[in-house]
C-alpha cells in the first residue's frame, strides 16, 4: 500500500530512466559516453540577458512578490510574440517554463472523463499533464511522414474529446507541419469545438527553408478554443531560467492565473526581467545558434542515412532526429528500442533516447545539441556497429 493518491500513482515512470541511469554509471566509471539525449541548447544564455538579470538582482523591486500572472511589462511584450492572436496582456500568464503552461492549461480545461488527443510520437509531459487533470490521453498514430491529419484525428474523436495537443516543430521528431496542414487541423478543431493547446516552443529553430507557422495565423477560426504555449527556453538558451507562458481566451487565462496564484505564485522576478531583455533584444542570438544546429543537423542526417537498418524522416525543426531503427533491431535480434539504447550504451558508449518514451517503439531520438566532434564520433561508432 503506497499511500499515494490515484493521480500520483497513475504517473508513468520515465522509460528513459534506465538508460539515463546507465549513462551516469558509465560516466562515473570514467567512460567517455557521448550523449545524444540533450533536450536543451548547448550554448550559454546571451550576455545582455544575463546582464539584465544581474541588474534585477540589485533592484529591491525585484526582491518581493509580484503579480502571479507575471510582470505587466513582460506580459505586454509577450503579446507581441504571437501577433496573429491580437491578444491583450490580460490574456497572458507567465509560467515556470512552458511545462507549467501545459500543466495549467490541462488543469483548467479538462475534467475527469474528458479525452485529449495527442499525436504520437509525443513529448513525454503531455499525457502526464492530461492524466494529472483526471482526463484521458488518446495517442493518435502518425503516418510515414511522422505527422497526423484531420482524418487521423477524426477517427479517434468521440463525444468526450475536449482537446488536441499540437506541437510544430516537434519534439521528438523535428517535424515541421506546412501551413496548409496546420490550417486543416485548425479548421477540424474549430468545426468540432475541440480546444487546441498549440505548443510553439521551437518556433525559431527551423532549417532548410522550413517555416514554423502558428496555428493562430493558419487557422484564425480556432481562436475561441485556442491556447498558445511558448517560452524563452529553447530560443534564447534559457532552459534553466524557467520562463514560459500561455496566451488564451480571457476566462482561461484568468483561471490559469488563479491556479498559479495558489500553486507557485509569480515566476522569479529576476528570470522575468531576463526574459524581457531576451524578447526586447531580438532574435540575433537565436539565429547564430540556429546556424550551428543546422550544420550539425545536416551532418547527422547524412551519417544516420548512411547507417544500415536506419530510416530517417529529415528533421526540419527543433534539434532532434528521430530515426526508425526497427530494421536494425530485427537484424541484430533486439526486441525493443529500450534494449537497443541499453546495448548501444554498453557496447559503443553512446546515449540515445528510446522511442518508447514518446509512444513510438522502434525509434530512437538523437539530439543534435552537442558538439560537432562528439556528433561525428558517436554516429561513426554507430555506423560501424550497425554495419
Ligand atoms: C515540446 C516541448 N514543449 C515544452 C517544453 C518545456 O519547455 P520549458 O523548459 O519552457 O518548460 C519542452 C522541453 O523539452 C518541449 O520539448
Amino acid at each position: 500500500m503506497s499511500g499515494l493518491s490515484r493521480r500520483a500513482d497513475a504517473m508513468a515512470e520515465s522509460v528513459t530512466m534506465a538508460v539515463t541511469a546507465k549513462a551516469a554509471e558509465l560516466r562515473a566509471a570514467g567512460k567517455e559516453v557521448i550523449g545524444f539525449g540533450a533536450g536543451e541548447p548547448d550554448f550559454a544564455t546571451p550576455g545582455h540577458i544575463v546582464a539584465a538579470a544581474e541588474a534585477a538582482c540589485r533592484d529591491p523591486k525585484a526582491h518581493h512578490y509580484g503579480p502571479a500572472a507575471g510582470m505587466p511589462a513582460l506580459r505586454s511584450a509577450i503579446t507581441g510574440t504571437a501577433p496573429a492572436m491580437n491578444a491583450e496582456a490580460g490574456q497572458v500568464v507567465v509560467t515556470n517554463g512552458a511545462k507549467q503552461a501545459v500543466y495549467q492549461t490541462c488543469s483548467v480545461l479538462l475534467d475527469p472523463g474528458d479525452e485529449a488527443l495527442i499525436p504520437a510520437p509525443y513529448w513525454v509531459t503531455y499525457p502526464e499533464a492530461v492524466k494529472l487533470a483526471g482526463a484521458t490521453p488518446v495517442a493518435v498514430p502518425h503516418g510515414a511522414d511522422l505527422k497526423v491529419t484531420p482524418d487521423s484525428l477524426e477517427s479517434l474523436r468521440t463525444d468526450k474529446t475536449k482537446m488536441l495537443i499540437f506541437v510544430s516543430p516537434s519534439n521528438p521528431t523535428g517535424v515541421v507541419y506546412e501551413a496548409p496542414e496546420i490550417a486543416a487541423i485548425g479548421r477540424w478543431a474549430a468545426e468540432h469545438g475541440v480546444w487546441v493547446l498549440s505548443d510553439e516552443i521551437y518556433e525559431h529553430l527551423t532549417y532548410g527553408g522550413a517555416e514554423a507557422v502558428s496555428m493562430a495565423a493558419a487557422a484564425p477560426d480556432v481562436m475561441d478554443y485556442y491556447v498558445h504555449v511558448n517560452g524563452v527556453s529553447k530560443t534564447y538558451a534559457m532552459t534553466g531560467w524557467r520562463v514560459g507562458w500561455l496566451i488564451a481566451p480571457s476566462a482561461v487565462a484568468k483561471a490559469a492565473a488563479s491556479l498559479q496564484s495558489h500553486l507557485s505564485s509569480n515566476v522569479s522576478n529576476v528570470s522575468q526581467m531576463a526574459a524581457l531583455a531576451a524578447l526586447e533584444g531580438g532574435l540575433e542570438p537565436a539565429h547564430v545558434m540556429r546556424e550551428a544546429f543546422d550544420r550539425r543537423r545536416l551532418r547527422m542526417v547524412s551519417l544516420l542515412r548512411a547507417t544500415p537498418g536506419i530510416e530517417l524522416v529529415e528533421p526540419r525543426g527543433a534539434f532532434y532526429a528521430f530515426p526508425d531503427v526497427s530494421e536494425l533491431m530485427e537484424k541484430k535480434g533486439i526486441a525493443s528500442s529500450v534494449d537497443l539504447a541499453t546495448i548501444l550504451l554498453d557496447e559503443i558508449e553512446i546515449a540515445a533516447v528510446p522511442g518508447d518514451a514518446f509512444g513510438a517503439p522502434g525509434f530512437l531520438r538523437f539530439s543534435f545539441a552537442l558538439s560537432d566532434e562528439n556528433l561525428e564520433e558517436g554516429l561513426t561508432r554507430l555506423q560501424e556497429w550497425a554495419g
Side-chain angles (χ1 to χ4, degrees):
M1 183 59 192
S2 68
L4 293 175
S5 67
R6 278 196 290 274
R7 276 188 350 153
D9 231 12
M11 267 187 290
E13 208 179 297
S14 167
V15 189
T16 58
M17 240 156 71
V19 181
T20 312
K22 177 101 197 166
E25 200 181 291
L26 288 171
R27 282 199 186 99
K31 306 276 189 195
E32 299 220 344
V33 174
I34 295 181
F36 287 95
E40 58 181 342
D42 56 326
F43 296 93
T45 303
H48 69 282
I49 300 173
V50 176
E54 282 170 350
C57 281
R58 292 192 200 91
D59 180 353
K61 285 203 292 297
H63 299 174
H64 303 283
Y65 291 131
M71 290 178 173
L74 179 57
R75 292 171 85 193
S76 176
I78 287 168
T79 60
T81 65
M85 290 189 77
N86 208 10
E88 290 167 6
Q91 292 173 249
V92 176
V93 182
V94 181
T95 54
N96 282 282
K99 186 174 274 188
Q100 191 177 5
V102 169
Y103 174 82
Q104 285 177 190
T105 302
C106 291
S107 291
V108 302
L109 284 175
L110 296 173
D111 278 316
D114 288 341
E115 293 174 357
L117 296 176
I118 305 178
Y122 43 74
W123 181 45
V124 289
T125 289
Y126 299 146
E128 301 312 314
V130 169
K131 285 193 280 176
L132 282 166
T136 307
V138 176
V140 183
H142 56 85
D145 57 0
L146 299 178
K147 294 178 180 172
V148 298
T149 62
D151 284 346
S152 57
L153 294 166
E154 180 60 16
S155 71
L156 288 168
R157 187 176 64 84
T158 71
D159 56 1
K160 296 183 185 138
T161 306
K162 176 89 184 270
M163 187 193 278
L164 161 68
I165 302 186
F166 184 75
V167 57
S168 174
S170 154
N171 174 11
T173 62
V175 151
V176 182
Y177 283 72
E178 304 289 339
E181 295 168 331
I182 297 184
I185 290 173
R187 277 197 304 272
W188 167 86
E191 185 186 332
H192 299 292
V194 173
W195 282 86
V196 179
L197 185 170
S198 180
D199 180 346
E200 300 182 14
I201 191 97
Y202 293 102
E203 70 168 325
H204 295 296
L205 295 176
T206 56
Y207 318 100
E211 205 189 323
V213 176
S214 174
M215 189 173 283
D221 291 354
V222 86
M223 213 67 82
D224 290 345
Y225 296 94
Y226 181 68
V227 181
H228 168 98
V229 169
N230 212 325
V232 292
S233 288
K234 318 284 178 173
T235 305
Y236 301 97
M238 291 179 71
T239 48
W241 298 79
R242 310 310 303 135
V243 184
W245 53 81
L246 61 87
I247 312 176
S250 298
V252 176
K254 220 169 139 201
S258 177
L259 169 61
Q260 185 163 312
S261 75
H262 297 296
L263 184 71
S264 56
S265 299
N266 61 286
V267 171
S268 153
N269 292 323
V270 172
S271 288
Q272 289 194 69
M273 290 306 289
L276 182 58
L279 295 185
E280 286 177 343
L283 289 165
E284 182 55 28
H287 293 158
V288 171
M289 231 173 30
R290 184 168 69 175
E291 227 170 84
F293 285 145
D294 194 21
R295 186 181 65 240
R296 299 169 188 174
R297 174 187 78 99
L298 292 170
R299 193 64 192 132
M300 180 172 273
V301 168
S302 101
L303 285 167
L304 285 175
R305 284 193 169 155
T307 302
I310 285 185
E311 291 284 332
L312 177 69
V313 172
E314 181 187 348
R316 301 180 73 213
F319 34 69
Y320 310 104
F322 200 65
D324 180 341
V325 290
S326 48
E327 205 184 303
L328 179 62
M329 283 161 50
E330 203 180 308
K331 184 170 127 194
K332 296 269 186 183
I334 295 168
S336 73
S337 54
V338 177
D339 289 350
L340 174 59
T342 310
I343 290 167
L344 292 178
L345 254 178
D346 266 335
E347 297 190 6
I348 56 171
E349 291 168 8
I350 67 167
V353 186
D356 308 58
F358 312 103
F363 288 77
L364 288 179
R365 190 189 76 175
F366 290 84
S367 162
F368 42 91
L370 79 169
S371 72
D372 298 66
E373 298 72 34
N374 280 352
L375 185 151
E376 191 76 27
E377 165 66 21
L379 295 183
T380 305
R381 283 188 207 165
L382 176 66
Q383 236 176 32
E384 285 164 5
W385 180 85

